[in-house]
Amino acid sequence: MSDHLSASSWTVSTRTRGSAVSMLAILALVALAFAAPLFVSRSVVQDLFFILTMLVLAQCWNLLAGYAGLVSVGQQAFVGFGAYAMFAGVSLLGMDPMAAILLGGLAALALSVPTAFFVFRLQGAYFAIGTWVIAEIVRLSLAQWKALGGGTGTSLPSGATRDMAGVRFVADLLGVRGPQATDIVCYWLALFLAVVTIGSIYKLLRSKQGLGLAAVRDNREAARSVGVDPTWTKSFVYLVAALATGLAGALIYVQKARISPDAAFSVPDWTAYVIFIVVIGGIGTIEGPIVGVIVFYILQNLLADYGSWYLLILGLIGILIMLFAPRGLWGLFADRTGLQLFPVRRILAGQPKPKDIRGSD
């Protein structure tokens, strides 16, 4: 007598048909971006630096709001604190700006620990308001730091960026002057930071921790019932976002070489524009901020001569996209094409396989 039983073989995967091809295209684009200073002008390098640093800030905010459900309007606290820590390292401690950028990131990480303790006691709109209040407290506190210019700000010491690690090597290698070599080094650092940030977020979302993060965002109590610690999960994401935001802020102000409290803690520059980028691109996707920052850059250049109308037009565009494309431009495109450059959604794949088990009466 023989019985025919079926055993099922199923696998969970995040890969899609086009993910391998898209990854090769992304690697080629990164290589092209690395080589860009060899064939583009200095102004283009500066524009690319702006795009990359805003992309890092947008990816960090998207990680908080899109994947953890933490809608912060106080990310300028980490931009400004990281930038001021970098200035303190260079101006007061005599550090190389390259090392001071790392100091800025670590300072922002350190700031996020006590701030998380307070803001995680708040929910919803109160959380958002709490992050803004903390950012204002940090801004007002640093405005009293006379050694770094107080409320009027200060500049990096003369020659600090020119003597930064790698600048002279790039100047000799490419045959360019010091200021242009500084821009190229800062651009390469921004490219490295953007690649590491996106790669780290992608790896996190594909891991078990990423699955737990999605569970916490969708239903905190249900996630807790299956063994996920919501507080630890959100705290980890908050700290990681603060670290990357602080690094970006420090790098931005190495390139600017001048800082003031109002500029470093600007709500429009480091939070409002970042939220706009994520919303129009597509919140809750890695591709969304990439699309959003490109659209924002184009709009900024097209509308720069319209004065106050510039902000009004940006707001109107944001409202229209939220009404007619709630998932953003990338979400609209992905829904119609099915294309995902960074697939993180888990797909159950497989098919039943027959298995013969023979026996006798």
Side-chain angles (χ1 to χ4, degrees):
M1 175 182 179
S2 62
D3 298 323
H4 296 281
L5 302 176
S6 62
S8 299
S9 177
W10 302 96
T11 59
V12 177
S13 175
T14 57
R15 294 184 179 181
T16 62
R17 288 177 297 177
S19 61
V21 176
S22 64
M23 192 56 61
L24 292 175
I26 291 169
L27 292 176
L29 182 61
V30 171
L32 180 64
F34 181 81
L38 300 178
F39 53 83
V40 301
S41 65
R42 182 183 178 187
S43 62
V44 174
V45 170
Q46 292 173 338
D47 288 343
L48 291 174
F49 174 84
F50 169 78
I51 291 173
L52 289 171
T53 50
M54 291 301 289
L55 175 59
V56 172
L57 297 179
Q59 289 288 358
C60 291
W61 191 86
N62 184 49
L63 177 63
L64 289 175
Y67 291 104
L70 300 173
V71 181
S72 168
V73 292
Q75 291 304 99
Q76 67 274 13
F78 304 120
V79 173
F81 198 71
Y84 263 94
M86 181 276 296
F87 261 75
V90 175
S91 301
L92 304 181
L93 304 179
M95 296 176 64
D96 184 282
M98 190 83 73
I101 292 172
L102 296 177
L103 176 64
L106 293 176
L109 176 62
L111 176 65
S112 69
V113 175
T115 58
F117 176 79
F118 290 106
V119 297
F120 279 6
R121 296 172 179 269
L122 306 173
Q123 299 292 330
Y126 296 103
F127 174 87
I129 295 172
T131 58
W132 173 77
V133 169
I134 287 176
E136 285 299 294
I137 292 173
V138 176
R139 180 184 68 85
L140 293 173
S141 299
L142 290 177
Q144 309 306 314
W145 198 353
K146 301 301 181 182
L148 291 180
T152 58
T154 187
S155 300
L156 287 175
S158 177
T161 55
R162 184 183 64 244
D163 297 331
M164 184 170 64
V167 170
R168 290 185 180 179
F169 173 77
V170 171
D172 295 337
L173 179 66
L174 302 182
V176 297
R177 294 182 178 180
Q180 185 174 354
T182 300
D183 287 340
I184 293 173
V185 171
C186 288
Y187 164 73
W188 279 338
L189 290 174
L191 178 62
F192 176 76
L193 181 58
V195 170
V196 170
T197 300
I198 294 174
S200 300
I201 292 174
Y202 185 44
K203 184 176 181 180
L204 171 65
L205 296 177
R206 286 166 57 96
S207 67
K208 292 182 179 179
Q209 289 76 13
L211 192 60
L213 181 63
V216 171
R217 176 198 60 193
D218 295 338
N219 192 313
R220 182 186 181 95
E221 296 305 320
R224 191 192 303 274
S225 69
V226 294
V228 178
D229 186 343
T231 302
W232 184 92
T233 302
K234 290 190 174 185
S235 297
F236 175 75
V237 169
Y238 188 77
L239 298 182
V240 169
L243 172 63
T245 302
L247 288 171
L251 179 57
I252 289 169
Y253 278 91
V254 165
Q255 200 265 351
K256 288 179 177 292
R258 176 164 181 81
I259 197 171
S260 68
D262 290 342
F265 293 88
S266 171
V267 176
D269 289 345
W270 312 127
T271 296
Y273 289 157
V274 168
I275 294 175
F276 177 81
I277 288 170
V278 176
V279 168
I280 64 171
I283 191 169
T285 64
I286 295 178
E287 300 92 342
I290 298 175
V291 174
V293 75
I294 295 173
V295 173
F296 173 70
Y297 170 76
I298 294 173
L299 291 174
Q300 190 179 53
N301 282 272
L302 291 177
L303 304 175
D305 297 331
Y306 288 87
S308 59
W309 286 98
Y310 163 62
L311 295 176
L312 293 175
I313 296 173
L314 285 184
L316 179 61
I317 292 173
I319 292 172
L320 291 175
I321 290 178
M322 285 188 288
L323 288 175
F324 298 103
R327 296 185 58 216
L329 296 177
W330 177 260
L332 183 64
F333 175 79
D335 289 341
R336 296 187 176 184
T337 63
L339 179 64
Q340 290 182 331
L341 300 180
F342 299 92
V344 296
R345 182 177 300 174
R346 287 157 178 82
I347 302 172
L348 185 64
Q351 57 184 354
K353 295 182 179 180
K355 180 178 179 182
D356 292 343
I357 300 178
R358 297 184 178 180
S360 58
D361 293 331

